[in-house]
């Protein structure tokens, strides 16, 4: 049975009451709610408080469930974790292949996509470690490191873009670690072909020098091509 399933009459009545009055501008009065739900009983603040907490807990569970149903990647990760913990390795292998296909088929990859690639690699590494597959484990560890570095680079470039933009607005300069190193890293062959890296890299160059028309044109071109 679903954890959000409920058959308590008082909870159902409270939800119906809240829905009916959800557009009222005035704040709902707990005493009035109590009188509506329990017309023959004296006002009990703790009881209505506990009932409201139960409804809120069910609502939060429902929101989380709805969000999970809409996100196929999250669903696959949850399945992967379950199969790994339960030592259902045949199903694990199938699920991790399906998850990788799902990530590869995302047409416009954002920073979350690259984080998911890294997290999938970590799941594979742990799987190989548990099953004493040392050669595969070593190769996957190298892959995990490279994927983490990619995610880290994109994250840093994005943060640097935000920082430089803020500095331009408030007319301030900052001295932060790894900005110039990250700019140079984005030019390496390993990252030069990744649209999201080049978008943040060129945006950063443009923010640092608004006369840099070449960087502006590159970002504009990536947007027009639908690469971002």
């Amino acid at each position: 049975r679903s954890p959000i399933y409920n058959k308590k009459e008082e909870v159902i009545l409270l939800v119906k009451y809240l829905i009916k009055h959800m557009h009222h501008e005035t704040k709902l009065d707990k005493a009035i709610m109590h009188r509506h739900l329990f017309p023959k009983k004296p006002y009990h603040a703790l009881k209505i408080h506990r009932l409201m907490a139960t409804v809120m807990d069910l609502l939060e569970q429902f929101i989380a469930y709805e969000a999970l149903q809409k996100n196929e990647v999250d669903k696959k990760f949850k399945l992967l974790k379950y199969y790994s913990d339960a030592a259902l390795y045949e199903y694990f292998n199938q699920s991790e292949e399906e998850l990788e296909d799902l990530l590869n088929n995302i047409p416009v990859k954002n920073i979350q996509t690259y984080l998911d690639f890294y997290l999938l690699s970590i799941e594979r590494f742990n799987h190989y470690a548990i099953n004493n597959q040392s050669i595969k484990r070593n190769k996957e560890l190298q892959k995990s490191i490279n994927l983490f570095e990619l995610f880290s680079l994109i994250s840093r470039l994005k943060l640097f873009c935000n920082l430089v933009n803020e500095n331009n607005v408030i007319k301030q300069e900052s001295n932060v670690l790894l900005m110039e190193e990250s700019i140079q890293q984005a030019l390496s062959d390993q990252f030069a072909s990744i649209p999201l890296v080049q978008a943040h890299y060129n945006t950063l160059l443009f923010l640092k020098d608004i006369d840099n028309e070449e960087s502006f044109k590159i970002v504009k071109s990536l947007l027009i091509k639908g690469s971002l």
Side-chain angles (χ1 to χ4, degrees), residues 63-72 74-76 78:
I63 291 171
Y65 174 80
E66 281 287 288
L68 181 61
Q69 294 307 305
K70 293 177 181 178
N71 192 320
E72 286 297 320
D74 281 352
K75 285 170 65 176
K76 291 294 183 184
K78 293 289 191 299

Side-chain angles (χ1 to χ4, degrees), residues 124-134 136-137 140:
R124 280 196 184 120
F125 169 75
N126 291 333
H127 172 69
Y128 296 145
I130 292 171
N131 290 277
N132 296 318
Q133 296 173 281
S134 56
K136 288 185 177 181
R137 182 184 63 203
E140 197 62 42

